[in-house]
Each structure stands twice: as structure tokens, then as C-alpha cells.
Amino acid sequence: MSKFVSELREKLEFLADPEIAIPQAKYMKNKFQFLGVKSPERKAVFKAVLKEQSMPKKVWDVAENLWEQDEREFQYCAIELLTKYSKKKMQESDIEVIEGFITTKSWWDSVDGFSSIVGNYFLQYPEKKKHITEKWLKSENIWLIRMAIIFQLSYKSKTDTVLL
């Protein structure tokens, strides 16, 4: 486990509340375990750890390590980390890793969280948009289909209405 993830885990476990975790899990149809840390507190802890340690050099490795954790709060932190990363220059091959996240531990909350990451990717690699979204729309994975539809949510005037 990376230093980033272990420090984040330590701080989130300190705030964990089993009484909060129960309704959180129930809201997600008991598909995921929760520590019981509310979103504002989780975001504050994530921001503090990120400020203290700065953006990890191996951002994808850290994100994958976060994703592997049992509790859902860590998947949310992975999304926050990748959202920050995706605003900068992404690599063309990053879409393959992103697709893996979309199709693993999938539920509406994680997939919707990845919409801005995918949106940023396609803004940086617009030539990839049509081919990849067509592939997703033809897949049998409901979460890839959903992503092909929602990744433009933050585009506003940049929305490709023909593709939509």
C-alpha cells in the first residue's frame, strides 16, 4: 500500500462511524462496504493528504490502490485524484485504464464520478471520441453505455449534439 493510501486510510478510519456506514451501504443497495465518513469530511481529509504529499508521481498506481480498497470512500478518493489529474495532460493510453475503472466496482455513483474524467480525456483527444463511444454503445456493459451518454455533462457549449 502506498504512503498516500496508508495515510488516507489512517485518517479516514479515525473519522469512521459505523452508525453512518449502515445507511450509506443501504443507499447503495448494500453493494459496497463503507467506513461511515460523510462526504464533506472525506473530501477535507483527501485534500489535506494531497496537500501534504502533493500529486503522486505514479497517479494511476495510487488510484488503482485506492480502488482496490474494500470501503467505498476509497473509490471516491480515487475519482477525486483522477479528476484533478485529468485536468492536466493525460496520455492517449489512459482511456484503457479508465475503462477498467468504469467496469470494476461499477455503480451509478462511480460511473457518474468518472464522467468529467472521460470528458477531459476526450477534450484532450477529440479524435478518439467517436471510435471509443461507438465501441461503448455497442458493448453489453451498461456502465460503458451510460458513460458514452453522460461524459459531455460538463461541456455546455462544447457539447457534441450530433454524437449525443
Side-chain angles (χ1 to χ4, degrees):
M1 183 181 307
S2 73
K3 182 180 175 189
F4 187 94
V5 176
S6 61
E7 185 170 335
L8 188 62
R9 173 169 284 288
E10 180 182 317
K11 291 181 180 198
L12 289 175
E13 284 179 344
F14 179 77
L15 297 173
D17 183 341
E19 294 301 315
I20 293 173
I22 293 168
Q24 286 177 323
K26 187 175 179 182
Y27 182 68
M28 292 295 167
K29 307 281 189 198
N30 294 308
K31 290 185 169 288
F32 308 102
Q33 296 177 33
F34 283 83
L35 289 170
V37 179
K38 291 185 176 181
S39 186
E41 289 83 10
R42 175 187 45 79
K43 288 179 181 183
V45 167
F46 174 79
K47 187 176 179 180
V49 172
L50 188 61
K51 183 177 181 182
E52 182 180 302
Q53 294 195 22
S54 73
M55 182 64 82
K57 289 188 184 343
K58 296 185 175 185
V59 69
W60 290 108
D61 291 344
V62 172
E64 286 177 356
N65 192 223
L66 287 165
W67 206 259
E68 292 167 356
Q69 303 304 304
D70 291 331
E71 300 87 359
R72 196 63 166 170
E73 287 91 346
F74 293 100
Q75 283 95 59
Y76 297 148
C77 288
I79 291 167
E80 289 177 46
L81 179 68
L82 293 175
T83 298
K84 288 189 176 299
Y85 169 77
S86 73
K87 292 176 182 173
K88 301 178 191 259
K89 182 75 171 139
M90 296 177 75
Q91 302 297 311
E92 193 172 337
S93 61
D94 287 348
I95 196 66
E96 295 164 16
V97 182
I98 292 168
E99 189 172 312
F101 282 110
I102 294 168
T103 58
T104 307
K105 296 187 180 182
S106 310
W107 200 239
W108 65 267
D109 60 333
S110 61
V111 174
D112 289 6
F114 265 92
S115 67
S116 66
I117 298 165
V118 172
N120 287 336
Y121 176 86
F122 287 135
L123 287 174
Q124 293 172 40
Y125 297 99
E127 71 281 1
K128 297 285 190 184
K129 181 173 53 176
K130 187 175 189 309
H131 171 73
I132 292 170
T133 56
E134 283 179 357
K135 179 182 104 174
W136 289 350
L137 288 169
K138 291 176 185 170
S139 81
E140 293 186 17
N141 185 295
I142 188 172
W143 305 114
L144 289 175
I145 296 167
R146 181 179 177 94
M147 184 57 68
I149 297 167
I150 68 168
F151 78 89
Q152 296 189 80
L153 285 175
S154 64
Y155 278 19
K156 298 182 180 161
S157 65
K158 295 178 186 172
T159 299
D160 182 343
T161 54
V162 172
L163 180 66
L164 188 60

